[in-house]
Amino acid sequence: MSLLIKNARLRDQDQLHDILIEKDRIEQIAPHIDAPEVEVIDARGNLTTPSLIDPHIHLDKVNILDVVRPNETGTLKEAIEIIWAKKQTYTDEDILTRSEDVVLRALKNGTLNIRTHVDVDTIGGLKPLQGILKLKEKYRGLVDIQIVAFPQEGIIKDPGCEDLLYQAMELGADVIGGMPANEATPDDSRAHVKIIFDIAEKYDCDVDMHVDETDDPFYRTLEMVADETIRRGWHSRVTAGHTCALAAYDDHYAGYVIQKLRQAQIHMITNPVTNLMLQGRNDKQPIRRGITRVKELLEAGLLVSFGQDCVSDTFYPLGSADMLQVANVTAHAAQMSLPDEIKKVYDMITGDAAAVIGLEDYGLKVGNKADLIVLDVATERDAIRLAPARLFVIKNGRIVAQTQTETIFHF
Ligand SMILES: [Zn+2]
C-alpha cells in the first residue's frame, strides 16, 4: 500500500514538496517524485504537517454536562464534587459512548495521539479505566491513546485509592498521575508525591501529575514534584499539568521553582481553555488569567505543550476536540503574538507534544511514521487563526478522514 502526496507545503520551506509513503512510513520527501501505480492525492499547495497531539484530556468525563447539575460557582472544587454522584453509576457503555464522540471529533480534526487521564478513586473504582480501555482498543490504529491513572480525589484523603492505583497499572494504565494539592496538609501532599513515584519505579513508567491547579500562591506542590523527580532520577520522565499557582507566586519564588524544573527536566502542560474559565473566580478586578508562566517556562528551555483538558463537562462547558481551536485560545492567553511565537504554538501541539508524551518516529521525516494532515490553509498562523478543514488525515499511511467544505454566498 503506497500513497503519494503531491504539492505539499511544508513548514519553513518555500518550495512545494511531494511526499511518498510506503506502508506506514514516509519513504521519500522531494520537490518532485514520480511513482507509478500509487494512490495520489494533491495537497494543492496547502500546509502539510505531522498530525496533531492532545497530551492532556479527561475522556472519562467528557460530555457529562447534560446529565449533571450546573457548576454554580464555576470553580474547580464544585466541578469535582458535582461528578461524585454520577461516578457511582458509571458503566463501561456510558463512558464509551460519551468519549467516543470526542475521539471521532479529534480524528476528524487531525489529532491522532491523545493522552487521557482517567479518575481512579474509591467512588468510581476502576470503572472509568475499564471504559477507556475499551475505547482505546476500539480505536487502535486510528487514534493512539495513552492512559494516565489519576487519583483526583487525593490518595491520603481517600483511603483505598493507593491500592486501586496499583490495580489500575496492572489493568493497563500506561502512566501514573497525581494531584498532590488535593490533600489536607503539605505533609500529606508530600506523601502523595512519594506514593506516585513508588508506583512509577515499580512499573518503570512516566509520571504525569495535575499540579497546583489553583491561583492560591500558598500551594507549593510543584517544588515537591521537582525535588522528588531529582531524588528518584526520573529526569525528563515527569510532566506537570496546569501549574496555575506558579503564576500566582511572586517572581522571586517562581524563578527559584523554574530553576528546579529545569534541573529535573520536567515537561509542562498548560490548559488555558479550562483554566481561563475556572481560575480567578474570587478575584474582583483585574481578574487573573490563571494560566501558568508559559513564556518564562519556554525561555527557561523547558518543553511546554497544552491540552484540550475538558469537553462539555462540569469544569468546562465548551470544547470541540480541535487542537487548533485550543491553540487559538492559548495564543491569546499566553500572549504569543510574534511570528516565531505563533509558530511555537504550532510546535506545542506537534513536535513538542510528541516529546512530552514520549512518541518515537513522529514527524515529517523520511523513515518516520506516516501520520500526517493536510490543512485548507498555507501557513501556521492561518491554521491557528481559522481552524480550517483538515482536508486529509493520514494515519499509518492510510487516509482515515477527509473533509470538504463549501460556502455558497447569495448576494
Ligand atoms: Zn486536567
Side-chain angles (χ1 to χ4, degrees), residues 90-234:
Y90 275 167
T91 62
D92 294 2
E93 203 48 44
D94 164 43
I95 291 168
L96 187 61
T97 309
R98 286 187 289 101
S99 58
E100 188 166 17
D101 165 74
V102 168
V103 168
L104 281 173
R105 285 177 202 279
L107 174 63
K108 163 177 104 74
N109 292 324
T111 298
L112 302 181
N113 292 89
I114 293 176
R115 177 181 275 186
T116 181
H117 297 252
V118 298
D119 286 11
V120 174
D121 51 57
T122 59
I123 304 169
L126 296 168
K127 272 280 166 229
L129 174 63
Q130 285 156 345
I132 297 302
L133 281 169
K134 285 197 173 156
L135 175 83
K136 177 174 176 166
E137 198 46 46
K138 187 165 179 183
Y139 284 87
R140 191 176 289 283
L142 290 168
V143 177
D144 295 332
I145 300 173
Q146 289 182 4
I147 301 178
V148 185
F150 173 45
Q152 178 170 264
E153 312 294 343
I155 302 176
I156 313 301
K157 236 168 125 172
D158 184 25
C161 176
E162 184 178 351
D163 279 351
L164 287 169
L165 288 171
Y166 280 95
Q167 288 174 39
M169 296 310 294
E170 295 288 340
L171 260 180
D174 305 288
V175 174
I176 185 72
M179 193 176 185
N182 193 11
E183 296 290 358
T185 66
D187 279 349
D188 286 356
S189 295
R190 221 168 270 119
H192 180 124
V193 171
K194 283 205 167 65
I195 288 168
I196 295 310
F197 277 88
D198 286 345
I199 295 171
E201 281 186 345
K202 172 158 188 207
Y203 293 95
D204 191 22
C205 68
D206 289 354
V207 174
D208 189 339
M209 291 199 224
H210 282 61
V211 184
D212 298 333
E213 189 177 357
T214 168
D215 42 31
D216 183 339
F218 293 99
Y219 284 91
R220 297 190 164 192
T221 69
L222 184 55
E223 190 184 348
M224 295 176 195
V225 172
D227 286 342
E228 197 65 19
T229 301
I230 294 163
R231 205 172 292 134
R232 307 274 186 142
W234 234 244

Side-chain angles (χ1 to χ4, degrees), residues 56 58 210 242 309:
H56 186 121
H58 298 259
H210 282 61
H242 296 282
D309 199 15

